[in-house]
């Protein structure tokens, strides 16, 4: 029966190798799947919301179910958002599900990139996939900001006003760029329709296209994997795509859908009716953007009010540097890092399919932790007014503390992380050399005492199973360059 079916539709002949493709069985490899299933949920809920949302800036007088805003003049976009929330059956649930999925989507991409960075999975032949991943992260930020701004409420309108100020800070071209984006003087009547086109057509199309290319490259290049018995650069060990990986991945997708649905039902998010419709002459106190653009808000708050006037033109360094130059440099570093590291370490000539443990690459790990610390300080600075009001401290003093921390904290984080990596490798070398302590103490013939040890039998994924020279004896470990005399071992089974 199966042979007859194969003659009609040769699935197994053509797709057999694909169905048997191995996927490593480790939780850290699921972060990319979290992003994928969040994107699926975003597309499904987004399509549903397009049936009810009206992307218009025409003024109307609200007469819907939410009584506190009845009789208030607002845009059609804001009124339709209120209708979705209060008059469409299940509308508020879908709105909040869409918003929660967006937050998880961006977070999952960020964590996935961190996993790839700290394990060195960006090295040859996967540099292009790293570039695609960073591009996906940038587009996800833009897509999230566009969707966040569509309701035309007071909070999102304040964010758009900041975005316009950032555009105007660009020398010469800033005015033309702002007019092109908004269609007229801010806020104008074209703002929401243009954002709507970006949000439902251009940016989702780019996301789906890049995700497709990313998945095709993953299938073509095969997954990276942790070192271990039977694993090498020449093979991939794990669950076959069908049926084991398909079953576990389907279970993960249902879990993602279920958890996000529960969040949407019990955890309120973006209550636009509390903020009210956007008015250019108002700004809400303590307004905070979604977390993924909080670092940009923090950068704007930390830079002193520097301005320069040249030939009658004012350069607003306090906006240009933190909101244009800094993000551009951050993404430039992310794009270039795989190529720069491989040139410094000499690894660009050989393919790498085994993951590094972060402790074995102290310089790379230190740089990664320093970058995360830098981002964390900016994120805290984005809420400096809320923090100051909550703890009853001076917002000016807190701002100066965060300015200093932005410079000092990443340096300290790098030094501490690198030292910790060296210490962990040294402790692991001692454990493999001497064995695990049994808790027994014996007296020697000379009258001294020594602790009892037994051979190591349990190993974490990627951990060596034979003693490796500690970093103090490896000159290459200070720069991240592999030491040719002490290469990382291909693990052997016992």
């Amino acid at each position: 029966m199966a042979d007859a079916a194969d003659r009609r539709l040769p699935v197994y002949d053509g797709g057999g190798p694909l169905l048997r493709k191995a996927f490593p069985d480790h939780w850290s490899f699921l972060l990319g799947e979290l992003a994928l299933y969040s994107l699926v949920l975003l597309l499904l809920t987004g399509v549903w919301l397009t049936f009810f949302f009206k992307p218009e800036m025409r003024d109307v007088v609200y007469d819907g179910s939410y009584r506190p805003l009845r009789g208030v003049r607002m845009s059609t976009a804001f009124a339709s958002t209120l209708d979705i929330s209060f008059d469409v059956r299940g509308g508020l649930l879908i709105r909040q599900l869409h918003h929660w999925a967006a937050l998880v989507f961006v977070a999952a991409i960020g964590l996935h990139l961190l996993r790839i960075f700290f394990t060195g999975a960006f090295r040859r032949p996967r540099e292009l996939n790293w570039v695609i991943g960073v591009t996906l992260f940038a587009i996800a930020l833009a897509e999230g900001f566009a969707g966040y701004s569509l309701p035309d409420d007071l909070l999102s309108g304040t964010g758009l006003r900041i975005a316009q100020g950032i555009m105007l800070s660009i020398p010469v071209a800033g005015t033309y760029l702002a007019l092109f984006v908004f269609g007229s003087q801010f806020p104008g009547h074209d703002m929401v329709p243009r954002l709507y086109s970006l949000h439902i057509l251009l940016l989702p199309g780019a996301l789906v296209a890049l995700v497709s290319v990313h998945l095709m490259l993953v299938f073509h290049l095969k997954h990276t994997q942790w070192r271990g018995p039977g694993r090498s650069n020449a093979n991939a060990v794990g669950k076959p795509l069908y049926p084991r990986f398909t079953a576990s991945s389907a279970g993960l997708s249902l879990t993602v859908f279920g958890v996000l649905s529960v969040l949407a039902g019990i955890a309120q998010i973006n209550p636009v009716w509390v903020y009210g419709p956007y008015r250019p002459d108002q700004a809400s106190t303590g307004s905070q953007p979604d977390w993924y653009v909080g670092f940009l808000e923090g950068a704007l708050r930390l830079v002193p009010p520097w301005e320069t006037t040249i030939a009658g033109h004012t350069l607003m360094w306090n906006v240009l540097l933190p909101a244009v130059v800094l993000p551009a440099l951050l993404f430039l570093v992310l794009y270039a890092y795989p190529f720069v590291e491989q040139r410094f370490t000499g690894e660009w000539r050989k393919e790498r399919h085994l993951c590094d443990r972060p402790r074995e690459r102290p310089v790379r790990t230190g740089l990664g932790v320093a970058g995360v610390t830098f981002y964390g300080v900016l994120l805290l600075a984005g809420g400096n007014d809320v923090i100051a009001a909550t703890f009853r401290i001076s917002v000016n003093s807190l701002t100066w503390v965060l300015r200093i921390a932005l410079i000092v904290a990443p340096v300290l984080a790098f030094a501490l992380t690198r030292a910790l990596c060296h210490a962990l490798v040294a402790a692991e070398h001692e454990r493999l050399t001497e064995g695990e302590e049994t808790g027994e103490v014996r007296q020697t013939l000379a009258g001294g005492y020594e602790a009892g040890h037994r051979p190591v039998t349990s190993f974490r994924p990627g951990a060596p199973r034979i003693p490796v020279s500690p970093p103090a004896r490896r000159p290459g470990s200070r720069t991240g360059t592999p030491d040719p005399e002490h290469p990382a071992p291909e693990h052997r089974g016992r």
Side-chain angles (χ1 to χ4, degrees):
M1 184 67 67
D3 292 339
D6 285 348
R7 285 194 295 271
R8 295 189 184 95
L9 187 62
V11 176
Y12 289 98
D13 290 343
L18 177 62
L19 295 177
R20 292 190 297 270
K21 180 179 175 59
F23 283 80
D25 188 12
H26 191 264
W27 68 266
S28 63
F29 295 98
L30 300 178
L31 296 171
E33 293 182 55
L34 288 177
L36 176 62
Y37 295 132
S38 299
L39 176 61
V40 171
L41 193 57
L42 278 170
L43 294 174
L44 294 175
T45 55
V47 169
W48 189 91
L49 289 172
T50 59
F51 294 136
F52 305 98
F53 181 74
K54 300 176 182 177
E56 301 175 16
M57 295 292 290
R58 177 172 52 86
D59 284 348
V60 296
V61 177
Y62 180 70
D63 61 350
S65 299
Y66 188 65
R67 292 185 178 181
L69 288 179
R70 282 185 181 176
V72 175
R73 183 173 293 275
M74 59 185 64
S75 66
T76 304
F78 187 76
S80 68
T81 304
L82 294 179
D83 290 338
I84 291 173
S85 302
F86 296 105
D87 296 311
V88 176
R89 186 179 296 275
L92 181 59
L93 177 67
I94 300 299
R95 262 198 67 232
Q96 298 200 148
L97 182 57
H98 190 73
H99 203 121
W100 276 114
L103 296 183
V104 173
F105 176 60
V106 180
I109 294 179
L111 291 174
H112 185 53
L113 286 173
L114 287 176
R115 198 276 300 177
I116 292 173
F117 177 85
F118 284 114
T119 61
F122 52 75
R123 294 173 296 180
R124 184 178 179 182
R126 295 176 179 81
E127 299 96 335
L128 178 58
N129 241 0
W130 170 264
V131 171
I132 291 175
V134 174
T135 305
L136 278 170
F137 186 64
I139 295 176
L141 295 180
E143 172 75 339
F145 181 77
Y148 167 84
S149 304
L150 283 179
D152 195 34
D153 58 283
L154 185 58
L155 184 62
S156 65
T158 302
L160 280 173
R161 185 63 162 175
I162 295 174
Q164 188 221 18
I166 293 172
M167 297 175 194
L168 292 176
S169 71
I170 301 175
V172 182
T175 304
Y176 302 99
L177 179 62
L179 287 175
F180 173 77
V181 171
F182 293 99
S184 62
Q185 291 295 328
F186 184 87
H189 293 279
D190 298 328
M191 177 177 63
V192 169
R194 294 189 178 194
L195 285 174
Y196 188 69
S197 300
L198 283 174
H199 186 66
I200 70 167
L201 291 176
L202 299 180
L203 295 179
L207 285 174
V208 172
L210 287 176
V211 167
S212 301
V213 174
H214 177 76
L215 292 177
M216 286 189 291
L217 286 176
V218 168
F219 273 84
H220 175 68
L221 299 173
K222 81 175 189 291
H223 263 288
T224 55
Q225 60 185 347
W226 294 106
R227 292 176 298 189
R231 301 177 184 181
S232 68
N233 272 312
N235 66 5
V237 179
K239 298 182 293 187
L241 173 62
Y242 182 83
R244 291 180 61 194
F245 178 78
T246 302
S248 61
S249 185
L252 177 64
S253 68
L254 296 177
T255 301
V256 171
F257 295 164
V259 170
L260 289 177
S261 297
V262 171
L263 275 175
I266 65 176
Q268 179 175 272
I269 189 169
N270 199 28
V272 295
W273 54 90
V274 176
Y275 312 140
Y278 177 66
R279 287 181 49 179
D281 61 332
Q282 294 181 356
S284 54
T285 303
S287 59
Q288 300 294 314
D290 281 339
W291 70 268
Y292 47 83
V293 289
F295 79 99
L296 194 61
E297 177 88 4
L300 285 167
R301 298 188 183 196
L302 289 187
V303 176
W306 295 334
E307 294 182 357
T308 302
T309 302
I310 301 176
H313 297 278
T314 301
L315 294 178
M316 300 182 295
W317 301 110
N318 56 326
V319 178
L320 181 65
L321 291 178
V324 178
V325 177
L326 178 62
L329 289 177
L330 288 177
F331 276 96
L332 179 62
V333 169
L334 289 175
Y335 279 119
Y337 187 86
F339 307 97
V340 174
E341 182 191 283
Q342 290 183 104
R343 283 290 178 176
F344 274 105
T345 60
E347 295 177 322
W348 57 278
R349 295 183 178 89
K350 185 178 179 181
E351 292 187 356
R352 304 282 176 169
H353 301 290
L354 296 177
C355 293
D356 291 329
R357 292 189 306 156
R359 68 183 65 182
E360 294 174 355
R361 295 285 184 149
V363 173
R364 179 203 297 155
T365 305
L367 290 174
V369 173
V372 173
T373 303
F374 185 83
Y375 177 87
V377 174
L378 291 179
L379 196 61
L380 283 175
N384 62 348
D385 54 341
V386 176
I387 297 173
T390 302
F391 294 98
R392 298 182 180 181
I393 58 179
S394 169
V395 68
N396 293 326
S397 300
L398 179 61
T399 300
W400 273 106
V401 169
L402 291 173
R403 285 172 178 170
I404 297 171
L406 188 64
I407 300 173
V408 175
V411 177
L412 292 178
F414 173 82
L416 291 174
T417 302
R418 188 174 68 166
L420 180 61
C421 290
H422 285 289
L424 288 173
V425 174
E428 190 172 64
H429 174 266
E430 181 181 352
R431 176 173 174 265
L432 292 173
T433 303
E434 300 181 2
E436 294 178 328
E437 293 187 1
T438 62
E440 300 176 352
V441 178
R442 296 189 298 268
Q443 186 174 12
T444 64
L445 295 176
Y449 295 91
E450 62 181 15
H453 293 81
R454 61 171 175 265
V456 179
T457 56
S458 61
F459 303 91
R460 293 182 176 181
R465 297 171 180 248
I466 58 176
V468 181
S469 299
R473 303 176 187 175
R474 293 173 56 192
S477 64
R478 289 187 173 275
T479 61
T481 306
D483 186 352
E485 297 182 2
H486 301 283
E490 299 288 345
H491 297 305
R492 302 176 299 187
R494 288 190 174 182

